[in-house]
Amino acid sequence: MTPRKYPAWLRRRRRGAADRVTIEEFAIAMAMADARGIRALLDAEVMLVIDGGGLVPTPTSPVAGSDAATRELLRLMSPETSVTMASINSVPGFVLVRDDLVVGAVTADMRAGAMSAIWVICNPEKLRHWNRGGA
């Protein structure tokens, strides 16, 4: 029997993607605004990219390091923000929801058991499909 060959783009997205358990731990720490819990999951040299598309105030360049990344991630949270697990581009992730609208989609890559890269999409134009039927 020939092994199943997935398309290159799918193999690339799965390799290094954070597993569901780690993403769930990350989502819980985010929902609780738990700085210590977030930092414990991050590689010391983690790279955080937040895409606000110029429509949402976000850092204009990638944020490097676990302390700086933790601070920026916590800025995305408010008491009104909830977290819901989701599949994002076929990898485990979660969405940030506020006033019944998705305001962020989060995915991460792992290296040596810690998150080495985190991507957060906050650009409302890129989140339109999540908010169909919303206000």
Side-chain angles (χ1 to χ4, degrees):
M1 180 185 251
T2 307
R4 188 175 209 175
K5 181 114 171 143
Y6 291 101
W9 65 269
L10 187 54
R11 288 192 316 267
R12 189 170 43 253
R13 281 302 294 153
R14 287 185 179 183
R15 183 181 7 174
D19 60 51
R20 179 159 297 286
V21 171
T22 304
I23 286 293
E24 286 174 355
E25 291 173 359
F26 185 35
I28 291 167
M30 288 285 290
M32 296 175 62
D34 177 7
R36 178 181 270 161
I38 293 169
R39 195 174 297 109
L41 295 166
L42 305 181
D43 183 88
E45 297 175 9
V46 66
M47 186 64 60
L48 170 66
V49 177
I50 305 175
D51 175 3
L55 303 171
V56 175
T58 59
T60 56
S61 60
V63 175
S66 59
D67 290 337
T70 299
R71 279 192 301 276
E72 289 301 326
L73 287 164
L74 288 173
R75 285 189 181 128
L76 299 171
M77 302 305 294
S78 70
E80 300 81 29
T81 306
S82 63
V83 175
T84 302
M85 299 306 298
S87 175
I88 300 171
N89 295 328
S90 301
V91 297
F94 58 90
V95 292
L96 306 175
V97 180
R98 198 175 301 128
D99 297 324
D100 295 324
L101 292 174
V102 172
V103 296
V106 182
T107 60
D109 276 356
M110 301 280 293
R111 180 179 62 222
M115 291 188 197
S116 58
I118 301 170
W119 291 273
V120 183
I121 303 299
C122 295
N123 182 341
E125 295 295 318
K126 293 181 180 178
L127 296 173
R128 264 189 292 180
H129 76 280
W130 288 94
N131 292 314
R132 283 189 213 138

